[in-house]
Amino acid sequence: NAGVMQNPRHLVRRRGQEARLRCSPMKGHSHVYWYRQLPEEGLKFMVYLQKENIIDESGMPKERFSAEFPKEGPSILRIQQVVRGDSAAYFCASSPLDGTGMNTEAFFGQGTRLTVV
Amino acid sequence: AQSVTQLGSHVSVSEGALVLLRCNYSSSVPPYLFWYVQYPNQGLQLLLKYTTGATLVKGINGFEAEFKKSETSFHLTKPSAHMSDAAEYFCAVGGGSSYKLIFGSGTRLLVRP
């Protein structure tokens, strides 16, 4: 059973470009979470999605950031018009179906390290 | 509301010595507590977790942690450090109806030969 798969592992973008980060949850998991880790800091919650639904995006910046988890395919975190301050590691986690699983069974991917130059 | 404080951003121990990484939490609901380890340029791996029941929790790689409600602590220990334990360790809190995990800022463990 493959773990949470994120790609790319490393992404370099120039200021003003778009960044697309992909996350395939573990098989059987329908809940996806995105976290951001700034250098020398812990992880900060961004958004929680179920298939075709955004459940909680309270941690997402109001502008330029969006997330989706379509019926088919991976979850996508999209950052438009990137700025230097977006440089960070972005982690995806998934949990199984029962909704309360996040508290007990969060599995993290290896992250995408975004560098904005 | 929930929060986590990890005391000491860097901890250095000799190989074979006791490892103690401190974590204090704040939670208005019964907490679920977690320790994760992160190796350089890697994701987070769950070391151990406390949800309910026994307050002394054993995890992988010889680590354990004790939930002390009166002290609002969940310190991580290992009797004898190994070079391979060098990594960053994160304490996190969840619980109640919250699906979010709130992470501490991390403690980097250095193991000296």
Side-chain angles (χ1 to χ4, degrees), chain B residues 74-111:
Chain B
F74 191 59
H75 301 330
L76 182 71
T77 60
K78 181 174 181 178
S80 176
H82 192 273
M83 296 298 290
S84 61
D85 294 327
E88 185 131 26
Y89 292 80
F90 292 96
C91 182
V93 64
S97 60
S98 173
Y99 39 77
K100 301 175 192 177
L101 287 180
I102 306 299
F103 284 85
S105 54
T107 298
R108 186 154 295 173
L109 177 65
L110 172 66
V111 182

Side-chain angles (χ1 to χ4, degrees), chain A residues 21 36-39 84-90 112-116:
Chain A
L21 289 61
R36 177 165 64 175
Q37 183 181 30
L38 294 170
R84 289 252 173 91
D86 297 332
S87 295
Y90 292 83
T112 294
R113 280 150 183 85
L114 172 66
T115 303
V116 179

Side-chain angles (χ1 to χ4, degrees), chain B:
Chain B
Q2 295 178 311
S3 65
V4 172
T5 301
Q6 290 185 242
L7 297 175
S9 59
H10 293 80
V11 170
S12 180
V13 301
S14 297
E15 191 174 18
L18 171 72
V19 175
L20 171 60
L21 304 182
R22 299 178 186 274
C23 172
N24 288 88
Y25 70 90
S26 169
S27 180
S28 56
V29 297
Y32 291 174
L33 295 157
F34 307 80
W35 276 99
Y36 285 88
V37 61
Q38 184 181 34
Y39 297 100
N41 296 316
Q42 298 294 315
L44 276 70
Q45 181 182 10
L46 182 65
L47 277 177
L48 50 79
K49 63 185 179 189
Y50 167 80
T51 54
T52 57
T55 57
L56 181 62
V57 180
K58 294 186 185 299
I60 62 171
N61 301 339
F63 284 94
E64 62 181 37
E66 186 171 9
F67 169 57
K68 292 187 176 180
K69 184 178 178 181
S70 61
E71 298 178 9
T72 60
S73 69
F74 191 59
H75 301 330
L76 182 71
T77 60
K78 181 174 181 178
S80 176
H82 192 273
M83 296 298 290
S84 61
D85 294 327
E88 185 131 26
Y89 292 80
F90 292 96
C91 182
V93 64
S97 60
S98 173
Y99 39 77
K100 301 175 192 177
L101 287 180
I102 306 299
F103 284 85
S105 54
T107 298
R108 186 154 295 173
L109 177 65
L110 172 66
V111 182
R112 303 185 303 272

Side-chain angles (χ1 to χ4, degrees), chain A residues 52-117:
Chain A
E52 301 184 279
N53 282 304
I54 297 175
I55 307 302
D56 181 351
E57 56 182 348
S58 59
M60 290 272 274
K62 298 298 182 193
E63 298 177 350
R64 302 188 296 109
F65 284 71
S66 62
E68 63 177 11
F69 189 17
K71 186 177 180 180
E72 301 291 338
S75 175
I76 305 288
L77 179 67
R78 182 183 179 205
I79 311 172
Q80 295 178 290
Q81 300 176 320
V82 296
V83 301
R84 289 252 173 91
D86 297 332
S87 295
Y90 292 83
F91 289 95
C92 172
S94 74
S95 66
L97 186 60
D98 68 4
T100 62
M102 182 60 191
N103 289 316
T104 59
E105 295 187 50
F107 298 88
F108 283 82
Q110 292 192 309
T112 294
R113 280 150 183 85
L114 172 66
T115 303
V116 179
V117 297

Side-chain angles (χ1 to χ4, degrees), chain A residues 4-8 20-26 29-32 34 49-52 67-78 92:
Chain A
V4 178
M5 304 299 293
Q6 289 188 249
N7 66 81
R20 278 180 180 248
L21 289 61
R22 288 176 290 277
C23 169
S24 296
M26 287 182 69
H29 288 191
S30 59
H31 299 235
V32 166
W34 286 93
L49 309 105
Q50 297 176 16
K51 287 280 188 181
E52 301 184 279
E68 63 177 11
F69 189 17
K71 186 177 180 180
E72 301 291 338
S75 175
I76 305 288
L77 179 67
R78 182 183 179 205
C92 172

